[in-house]
Amino acid sequence: MKNTLKVINYVLLGLALVAVGFGVFAFFQYRAVPIAEYESSAADLRAQAQLVDESTDKLSEDMKAQQDALREDISQGGDEGKTLASDLAAALSDNEDKTAQLEELRAENERLDNIVEETLAKRREYASKIRELEEKVQAGETDIKICYWTFDDGPTRLTTQVLDKAKELGVHVTFFTSHEANESEDEPEMLRREFAEGHAVANHTYSHQFAAMGNLYQKTEGLIEMIQKQDEWVYECTGFHTEIFRYPGGSAWAKALLGTDPTEAVKEAGYEWIEWSCDVFDNGVAGKTADEIQSMAVWQVKQLDIAVLLSHDWNANTLIAFPGAVKQLQDAGYVFLPLYPESVTMGENTKIKFS
Ligand SMILES: [Zn+2]
């Protein structure tokens, strides 16, 4: 019994020991797993933290770089912005200046347009007064006689002298102008002076190539083109159109070369044409002396009460003859006037002896 108890005791003790052992084992087992897990998690976390640290460093480096770039951009943008702003301010102020200038120019333009309109209106008024005078002369109601002294083929280098002399004498003449006929010092200025000093600026074609091989009388269209081109040139220089046309070489020569009468086409182009009734013959090869030209002018004009005298402002002798002839004719009752399309002397009438 005693032995049995002992065995039971040993068994129980053994069981107890096993249980304790198991408990200890279980305890350590229980303890060991979380620590290992913890340690493994901690390692992971440390690794992750390391990664986070590294990423953070990387990020912060990137951000710094971005910030730097941004700062650079901003500072550049700032400079650009400043430049742009100052450019814009300059442009705006420039724009204001230009707008003001434009306004001034518009006002000036309007003023000039008005002057041109007034001048054209005065021109018509003046032309109709001359026409009235012509009719009185023709009707014998006045002692006044009229000389239309015309200078062809200019402006030339001598035109300035014609203008000076005409001004001194207080007379007005008509210039049949042709751009290519002669050289001039300052043609636009000459044309402006002719106009501004009260003379008539008329049309003698742009090219003046009236010889058989020239471009003027090959076809009527060519002639009209050369008339219009001269008008454009005069308009460009003076702001006024030409109104009267004279054929280089005369109308008979023009008709002969063209083989047709261009009168209608000339009229359709807006021109009155004119010939001449007196000629000082200053365009010949055998040059006339100044005295000859003066006598020729005075004698011929005196045959007529309304005379259209042909001369050329490239002939130096004509310039010498001009003042003397004018004075002699003024003494004989002649006034010197510019030609207008309203004149009785236009077209075929030029050669009619108004006496
Ligand atoms: Zn000519």
Side-chain angles (χ1 to χ4, degrees), residues 152-153 204 208 210 248-249 312:
D152 284 16
D153 306 353
H204 198 42
H208 199 261
F210 66 99
H312 297 83

Side-chain angles (χ1 to χ4, degrees), residues 207-241:
S207 73
H208 199 261
Q209 289 179 24
F210 66 99
M213 298 303 289
N215 67 5
L216 219 50
Y217 300 138
Q218 302 299 323
K219 275 194 257 171
T220 301
E221 297 80 46
L223 168 66
I224 300 301
E225 196 183 305
M226 284 297 114
I227 295 173
Q228 285 169 338
K229 200 168 175 189
Q230 179 62 15
D231 180 64
E232 280 162 23
W233 168 239
V234 170
Y235 184 78
E236 196 184 314
C237 298
T238 67
F240 293 92
H241 290 287

Side-chain angles (χ1 to χ4, degrees), residues 227-301:
I227 295 173
Q228 285 169 338
K229 200 168 175 189
Q230 179 62 15
D231 180 64
E232 280 162 23
W233 168 239
V234 170
Y235 184 78
E236 196 184 314
C237 298
T238 67
F240 293 92
H241 290 287
T242 55
E243 299 178 323
I244 309 167
F245 160 67
R246 176 180 275 162
Y247 292 94
S251 64
W253 175 253
K255 284 175 199 169
L257 284 189
L258 285 166
T260 178
D261 184 350
T263 304
E264 276 312 305
V266 167
K267 283 202 176 225
E268 264 174 42
Y271 288 87
E272 288 291 344
W273 67 279
I274 189 167
E275 210 84 85
W276 56 89
S277 52
C278 305
D279 186 351
V280 296
F281 299 106
D282 62 347
N283 63 341
V285 183
K288 296 244 180 297
T289 66
D291 282 347
E292 284 170 335
I293 290 170
Q294 186 174 330
S295 326
M296 185 76 75
V298 172
W299 184 82
Q300 284 196 42
V301 169

